């Protein structure tokens, strides 16, 4: 790991591929309701960052792989930290949908 590796943004396309290959995984969109309605990755679960305290209603097993995205990667980074503090053990920030090249649905 290099000194400036923390500046590198996650690759959302690779993250979505990893999500699809992980049995039982959850793709979590932490954007606002209007952002989600404007277009989201198929198969994603919407839970805005401000309502992350409701995660247990979506994912009960804290070992479930969680792949988290937002618009740019900043909110998803915050969400990953919060989820880890809540005891979720397999949480990944896959970045922002702004860089996603795959299919979206609204």
């Amino acid at each position: 790991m290099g000194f400036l590796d923390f500046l590198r943004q996650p690759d959302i396309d690779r993250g979505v591929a990893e999500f699809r290959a992980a049995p039982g995984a959850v793709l979590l969109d932490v954007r606002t309701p209007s952002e989600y309605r404007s277009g989201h990755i198929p198969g994603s679960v919407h839970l805005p960052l401000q309502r992350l305290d409701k995660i247990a209603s979506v994912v009960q097993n804290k070992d479930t792989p969680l792949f988290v995205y937002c618009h740019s990667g900043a909110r998803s980074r915050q969400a990953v930290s919060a989820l880890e503090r809540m005891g979720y053990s397999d949480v990944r920030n896959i970045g922002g949908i702004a860089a996603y090249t795959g299919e979206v649905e609204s």
Side-chain angles (χ1 to χ4, degrees), residues 7 31 85:
L7 293 175
R31 297 176 301 149
R85 284 192 305 274

Side-chain angles (χ1 to χ4, degrees), residues 58-86:
V58 177
V59 181
Q60 292 81 29
N61 183 344
K62 292 189 176 186
D63 294 327
T64 299
L66 299 174
F67 293 79
V68 185
Y69 75 93
C70 63
H71 177 75
S72 68
R75 284 174 284 179
S76 53
R77 185 172 36 253
Q78 292 175 342
V80 165
S81 293
L83 290 163
E84 289 174 341
R85 284 192 305 274
M86 290 179 212

Side-chain angles (χ1 to χ4, degrees), residues 20-64:
R20 291 185 176 137
V26 173
L27 181 60
L28 192 62
D29 184 324
V30 297
R31 297 176 301 149
T32 65
S34 63
E35 287 175 306
Y36 186 78
R37 283 190 304 273
S38 72
H40 55 273
I41 299 171
S44 62
V45 173
H46 183 232
L47 186 63
L49 179 63
Q50 296 78 7
R51 299 194 36 91
L52 209 54
D53 59 329
K54 307 294 183 203
I55 186 67
S57 67
V58 177
V59 181
Q60 292 81 29
N61 183 344
K62 292 189 176 186
D63 294 327
T64 299

Side-chain angles (χ1 to χ4, degrees), residues 79-97:
V80 165
S81 293
L83 290 163
E84 289 174 341
R85 284 192 305 274
M86 290 179 212
Y88 287 85
S89 62
D90 190 357
V91 188
R92 301 169 213 181
N93 175 13
I94 63 169
I97 195 170

